[in-house]
Amino acid sequence: MAVATALVFVALLFSNCNRVRDNHAVEQEVVDAQHHWEEALKQFDLNSMQSLLAEDYQQTDLRGKVQDRVSWLEFFKSYVTAVHSGNAKFEISFEGRKVRFYGNAAVVTGGATFTGQRTGMSPVNNLIRFTNVWVKRRGLWQLVSYQATPIEKR
């Protein structure tokens, strides 16, 4: 009986060590996916953005407009074209990222600043809080939802 109890204790001990290590690895996967999404926005990289968004992606922007994956990528593509042709210049920065896990899902919150101008349009200077929801599917973390809320300038 003592040997069986000792074996169970050792098994639990090692399983907890692996769980801690796995949690760190999983957190790093989500942080990496979030970083790639941020870089895709900053670089106006359409291919990277397409690879990160789930087929059922939905977002609510800072004005409350809801878009699915197709409509958001069309909107983003117009800005990609404008930036890469020199007809727009934007700077995007992110801060205060926090990650929380719920099984195969993760919620990332943080802040962002979007500044710049597209030719013929008013300049933008938006400070937001965002929430991203990531889900792990077929071994990859995919962004399924983004929501932005404008906040007052500091």
Side-chain angles (χ1 to χ4, degrees), residues 34-51:
Q34 177 70 28
H35 177 75
H36 287 122
W37 175 79
E38 292 171 4
E39 288 302 308
L41 280 174
K42 289 179 185 180
Q43 302 302 318
F44 291 87
D45 181 346
L46 183 61
N47 291 332
S48 291
M49 185 61 69
Q50 288 172 322
S51 73

Side-chain angles (χ1 to χ4, degrees), residues 11-26:
L12 287 172
L13 179 66
F14 283 111
S15 68
N16 285 339
C17 288
N18 288 337
R19 192 172 302 125
V20 170
R21 213 174 303 128
D22 289 344
N23 284 345
H24 177 70
V26 169

Side-chain angles (χ1 to χ4, degrees), residues 53-119:
L53 301 184
E55 289 300 317
D56 58 344
Y57 173 80
Q58 184 173 329
Q59 76 165 34
T60 305
D61 71 16
L62 72 158
R63 290 171 195 80
K65 182 177 180 181
V66 177
Q67 293 177 298
D68 64 11
R69 183 181 195 273
V70 171
S71 62
W72 158 244
L73 287 172
E74 281 301 313
F75 173 80
F76 186 62
K77 183 178 180 180
S78 72
Y79 276 82
V80 168
T81 301
V83 166
H84 291 297
S85 68
N87 291 321
K89 181 168 174 55
F90 292 94
E91 290 187 27
I92 305 169
S93 62
F94 294 90
E95 65 182 21
R97 181 190 310 133
K98 290 190 170 71
V99 181
R100 293 177 301 167
F101 291 93
Y102 304 94
N104 69 335
V107 176
V108 179
T109 58
T113 303
F114 296 81
T115 59
Q117 187 169 9
R118 188 170 176 173
T119 303

Side-chain angles (χ1 to χ4, degrees), residues 1-15:
M1 181 70 161
V3 172
T5 303
L7 288 175
V8 169
F9 176 74
V10 170
L12 287 172
L13 179 66
F14 283 111
S15 68

